[in-house]
Amino acid sequence: MKYSANGLYVEEYRKCINCGELVYDEGLFFTDEDGTRIGPFSSAWDMEWYKGREARQNAKGPVLIKDWRSETQS
């Protein structure tokens, strides 16, 4: 059987769209710039991580920093 945290029957399984954890209550949602409601999330951390996902995907790879030792050895 499907039971929730408070012991009542659960009609449907809802999972956090970020981590996949079961959400027994309504969950957390946020509204995007274009007005779409995105969620459910199991915690505020999951919501913030989801919001920053696009910026992390668009980020360039690691930046190579010139090693100061290479200047002193030449």
Side-chain angles (χ1 to χ4, degrees):
M1 289 187 111
K2 306 173 195 174
Y3 288 99
S4 69
N6 61 5
L8 300 176
Y9 183 74
V10 177
E11 293 292 326
E12 65 178 327
Y13 283 119
R14 283 185 304 204
K15 292 185 175 185
C16 174
I17 63 173
N18 188 51
C19 70
E21 182 178 323
L22 286 176
V23 178
Y24 294 110
D25 55 357
E26 184 179 328
L28 301 171
F29 291 85
F30 75 91
T31 305
D32 204 3
E33 293 88 21
D34 56 347
T36 54
R37 190 172 182 219
I38 300 175
F41 294 98
S42 59
S43 68
W45 182 90
D46 285 318
M47 199 165 33
E48 292 300 320
W49 183 264
Y50 185 85
K51 287 178 183 178
R53 178 177 288 166
E54 184 178 339
R56 287 189 305 275
Q57 288 175 346
N58 293 336
K60 303 283 184 202
V63 177
L64 296 176
I65 300 173
K66 189 174 182 181
D67 190 7
W68 63 272
R69 289 174 284 181
S70 64
E71 292 177 359
T72 58
Q73 293 175 355
S74 54

